[in-house]
Amino acid sequence: MTERIHLSKAEVTEVEEGFVLDALRSGWIAPLGPHVDAFEAEIAEQVGVRNALALSSGTAALHLALLHLGARPGTAVLCPTMTFAATANAIAYTGAEPVFVDSQASDGNVDPHLMLEAARTLRSKGVDVVAACPVDLFGRACDYDVLEPGLAELGIPLLEDAAEALGANFEGRAAGSFGAAGVLSFNGNKILTTSGGGMLLSNDDELIAHARKLSTQAREPVPWYEHTEIGYNYRLSNILAALGRGQLTRLDDMIARRREIRAQYVAALVNIDGVRFLFDDSATRTDNCWLTTLVIERDDQNADSLVAALSSKSVEARHLWKPMHLQPVYRSARAFGGSVSETLFARGVTLPSGSNLSDEAVTRVHAALEEALA
Ligand SMILES: *Cc1c(COP(=O)(O)O)cnc(C)c1O
């Protein structure tokens, strides 16, 4: 049996073991402690924001930020239709209406002009749009040169879902640092993992203080348990923060390896017609190369057939996120456009991109791709 090659497996070394062992031996076995504090400070510095709040997931970070920004029944929040369900689900938790916006064809990220047009159209119909939540898809930052000033002009807060994008950049600024607040995920499949976890990032001290309070059951600062609003149990444990700190020391190396794997895919497929990658090498943007994504632009293959062909060679590849406007659970939600994301879903495939893939594994993926696409 040939060993199955996975899409993106967590890479954990003795460095992480050392950090976790320290947390266990320190006695801080709780959702607070010195590793949580240090992890928050280190991520804030990495991304270049004033405050970071470590939470139990990226979804929790989205939820708390949306609550602070006023998402509630009777309001609407814009997000891309092409995203992981967590973005839309966090909006739904608040009772606000998620409104979906189509992708741009070049890189699958939300079409920034369509997002602004959607905001204006909803406004003109009297809809209260309390936030817009662009997603840095597969580790590539959105067009913030359009979104940031455009949303600011409309007075709509930007909440950046950078769950997939730690380490990516746009015009010299780090993913997670745009708008009113940014969100990272440290789920097991992301570029940096705490097994499960997330972070809320913001330069707004009040936003972070409110989210911090909500994340610990909204306790008031009095000696007994006093509550004036409904809170959550969303904090990250000290042990998991230690794992994240270990991972953070190796983030640059993990990104460099993913970048190398991406370059090798491009080189391997350079002579194959009718395929393109969902990124371009622009001078203004550096992806973190979390997942390298291929789009098939010819009639003899699509995402289904390529995923199946690769799977028969024990290579795991996946469809892109199925657009939210096509999901049964969001059937009745409003959407602006949708055909671009539908095409990307039908024709796009994410390729094995993990930093711990061996050269031999990468060569095997190339051979399977060449055979399928020859
Ligand atoms: C992973 C992910 C999330 C959610 O993060 P969790 O830590 O799994 O809750 C949110 N948005 C996007 C785009 C993601 O990929």
Side-chain angles (χ1 to χ4, degrees):
M1 260 298 278
T2 31
E3 202 187 329
R4 193 162 167 80
I5 296 171
H6 294 279
L7 194 72
S8 179
K9 262 177 102 170
E11 181 186 351
V12 173
T13 68
E14 307 80 50
V15 175
E16 287 85 345
E17 286 173 16
F19 272 89
V20 173
L21 199 58
D22 176 77
L24 286 169
R25 288 182 175 159
S26 73
W28 288 93
I29 313 296
L32 81 174
H35 283 291
V36 174
D37 298 343
F39 191 40
E40 288 177 344
E42 288 162 5
I43 290 280
E45 190 185 341
Q46 170 87 23
V47 177
V49 293
R50 205 158 59 227
N51 309 290
L53 171 63
L55 295 165
S56 53
S57 70
T59 312
L62 286 167
H63 186 195
L64 296 184
L66 287 163
L67 287 172
H68 179 79
L69 295 173
R72 61 183 182 281
T75 68
V77 177
L78 289 161
C79 76
T81 188
M82 174 151 292
T83 184
F84 181 50
T87 317
N89 290 346
I91 298 167
Y93 297 165
T94 68
E97 176 196 352
V99 179
F100 302 120
V101 181
D102 206 358
S103 301
Q104 56 189 4
S106 58
D107 61 6
N109 270 329
V110 74
D111 178 334
H113 300 287
L114 188 60
M115 188 169 244
L116 297 177
E117 190 189 314
R120 285 190 291 265
T121 303
L122 291 171
R123 273 257 172 97
S124 71
K125 292 181 177 169
V127 178
D128 185 10
V129 183
V130 295
C133 191
V135 174
D136 301 326
L137 198 65
F138 304 124
R140 176 177 178 79
C142 293
D143 292 349
Y144 291 111
D145 53 343
V146 178
L147 287 171
E148 222 179 19
L151 289 167
E153 201 184 311
L154 290 164
I156 296 174
L158 188 166
L159 172 59
E160 182 189 3
D161 183 346
E164 304 172 359
L166 176 62
N169 279 284
F170 180 75
E171 292 184 346
R173 289 166 63 191
S177 70
F178 292 88
V183 166
L184 300 174
S185 167
F186 309 126
N187 197 15
N189 58 349
K190 296 294 187 341
I191 201 150
L192 181 155
T193 187
T194 57
S195 75
M199 196 81 85
L200 181 60
L201 307 165
S202 182
N203 291 317
D204 181 343
D205 300 345
E206 227 173 277
L207 182 151
I208 292 291
H210 187 206
R212 194 177 288 280
K213 180 183 164 200
L214 290 175
S215 72
T216 51
Q217 306 289 14
R219 278 187 69 181
E220 296 298 325
V222 292
W224 55 90
Y225 287 90
E226 180 87 6
H227 308 276
T228 59
E229 58 186 329
I230 296 192
Y232 302 85
N233 179 10
Y234 276 173
R235 286 291 270 160
L236 184 70
S237 98
N238 194 56
I239 297 168
L240 301 189
L243 174 52
R245 292 186 69 202
Q247 288 260 288
L248 189 55
T249 66
R250 299 193 309 102
L251 179 64
D252 290 347
D253 292 341
M254 293 194 289
I255 291 175
R257 175 62 179 153
R258 285 182 193 253
R259 194 176 310 290
E260 183 176 64
I261 290 168
R262 171 171 291 193
Q264 289 166 352
Y265 279 127
V266 174
L269 297 184
V270 72
N271 290 321
I272 293 184
D273 289 332
V275 297
R276 70 175 173 100
F277 292 93
L278 266 195
F279 66 91
D280 53 52
D281 286 317
S282 75
T284 55
R285 207 168 331 221
T286 319
D287 300 2
N288 70 0
C289 302
W290 175 51
L291 293 179
T292 291
T293 303
L294 189 74
V295 182
I296 304 156
E297 296 189 315
R298 53 189 226 206
D299 292 334
D300 62 329
Q301 285 270 19
N302 58 25
D304 284 339
S305 62
L306 185 59
V307 167
L310 294 176
S311 184
S312 74
K313 306 275 184 213
S314 294
V315 172
E316 183 188 26
R318 287 198 197 160
H319 291 77
L320 309 195
W321 304 126
K322 180 174 176 178
M324 288 301 115
H325 73 275
L326 299 180
Q327 299 288 355
V329 70
Y330 289 117
R331 200 172 30 219
S332 56
R334 271 186 268 214
F336 287 80
S339 60
V340 177
S341 64
E342 286 168 24
T343 302
L344 291 173
F345 174 62
R347 311 216 136 261
V349 166
T350 54
L351 300 171
S353 307
S355 47
N356 49 4
L357 284 179
S358 65
D359 288 335
E360 189 203 340
V362 173
T363 306
R364 250 183 67 202
V365 181
H366 291 170
L369 274 171
E370 280 163 21
E371 196 181 316
L373 295 168

